[in-house]
Amino acid sequence: MRILLVEDEVKMASFIVRGLKEEGYAVDAAEDGEKGWEYVLLNEYDLIILDLNLPKMSGMTLCSKIRKKELNIPVLMLTARDSLEDKIKGLDQGADDYLTKPFAFDELLARIRALLRRPGDLQKAVILESGHIKVDLLSRRVWVQGDEVGLSQKEFALLEFLMRKKGEVVTRSQIAEHVWDLHFDPMSNTIDVYINFLRKKIDKGRSQSMIETMRGAGYRFINQ
């Protein structure tokens, strides 16, 4: 999953980016509202973490612009303000949730997981299952035919994205946009390498891979 963080406090931004990357998320960071808006227009994000007080363009204004453009991206607003009036205003501008600084990082992760849930599909926000594969998103553990297998952070992120899109053909560009960040080199063979890594770990005892290569189109995770 790819997240945009718009935060002008350098230490706070560094702390959040480092923590989210350790959890396997791809993260882009912008230091002001205008840069954040530029990133929103250029890239596809699964979630935006947005500070309320930003230079050049406030978090309120940026959130409003996102909603006016009808971008259905979950927005988590961060702020040092804890007044009810500020929270109501932020939610009215289109924010989906509100977290007051300082906060525990575990709470931030929990709120991110909640916002990434698809409506009416709460169980899949915690557990993903398909055939002989089971993924626990809370503990970040994976089982294949009942046996636990170890995945790297990027392998886990790639598997999660493919399983959330199971049955659909996803392009290399979509995978790059959701699993990697702005520094990803689109000309590299990194995606192919990680697809092969993943196949070796999840195709235990199968004659056909769970990840189909759709020539000229991309990849599809088998819908079982």
Side-chain angles (χ1 to χ4, degrees):
M1 298 290 105
R2 188 173 180 181
I3 294 175
L4 172 63
L5 171 67
V6 190
E7 169 63 70
D8 64 317
E9 295 181 28
V10 177
K11 289 184 178 180
M12 174 66 74
S14 178
F15 166 73
I16 294 174
V17 169
R18 183 174 65 252
L20 291 179
K21 286 187 174 181
E22 288 175 354
E23 292 294 322
Y25 294 105
V27 187
D28 297 330
E31 67 279 3
D32 61 65
E34 288 185 358
K35 178 63 71 172
W37 179 235
E38 179 182 330
Y39 281 4
V40 168
L41 295 177
L42 288 174
N43 306 297
E44 185 175 341
Y45 294 103
D46 299 289
L47 182 138
I48 297 173
I49 302 174
L50 180 60
D51 187 45
L52 180 61
N53 295 315
L54 293 168
K56 298 186 179 181
M57 182 191 299
S58 72
M60 290 286 190
T61 301
L62 177 52
C63 187
S64 178
K65 286 171 72 72
I66 291 169
R67 293 305 178 228
K68 286 179 180 177
K69 198 169 177 61
E70 298 184 352
L71 297 173
N72 189 27
I73 309 170
V75 174
L76 172 59
M77 196 165 280
L78 302 179
T79 181
R81 303 178 186 176
D82 59 0
S83 73
L84 179 59
E85 181 181 351
D86 287 327
K87 291 180 179 180
I88 291 174
K89 186 176 179 181
L91 294 170
D92 284 344
Q93 291 298 323
D96 296 278
D97 199 0
Y98 210 103
L99 188 57
T100 303
K101 301 175 184 177
F103 53 82
F105 190 71
D106 284 346
E107 182 180 4
L108 174 64
L109 291 176
R111 289 175 183 260
I112 288 172
R113 288 192 296 266
L115 289 173
L116 289 175
R117 292 173 180 165
R118 291 181 290 184
D121 203 6
L122 299 183
Q123 180 64 14
K124 285 189 177 180
V126 178
I127 301 293
L128 299 177
E129 288 189 82
S130 186
H132 63 294
I133 300 173
K134 178 179 178 180
V135 176
D136 187 324
L137 300 180
L138 291 178
S139 64
R140 305 189 72 77
R141 300 168 69 189
V142 177
W143 292 266
V144 176
Q145 293 184 351
D147 296 326
E148 187 170 355
V149 297
L151 300 184
S152 69
Q153 294 285 18
K154 273 293 177 247
E155 289 168 350
F156 187 95
L158 177 57
L159 178 61
E160 178 187 353
F161 177 69
L162 292 173
M163 290 185 72
R164 286 185 183 274
K165 297 288 187 181
K166 66 181 179 181
E168 302 177 25
V169 177
V170 293
T171 66
R172 289 170 53 87
S173 294
Q174 287 176 300
I175 293 173
E177 286 172 351
H178 289 270
V179 181
W180 277 268
D181 56 28
L182 286 171
H183 304 293
F184 180 75
D185 179 3
M187 302 304 293
S188 74
N189 68 340
T190 301
I191 291 175
D192 306 295
V193 170
Y194 274 89
I195 289 287
N196 288 330
F197 285 163
L198 204 49
R199 281 173 170 158
K200 291 177 181 178
K201 294 183 178 182
I202 68 173
D203 289 335
K204 180 179 178 181
R206 291 180 57 87
S207 58
Q208 180 184 8
S209 176
M210 291 289 289
I211 305 172
E212 294 182 315
T213 298
M214 313 301 292
R215 295 196 180 278
Y219 298 96
R220 180 174 63 192
F221 195 90
I222 297 175
N223 189 9
Q224 290 187 340

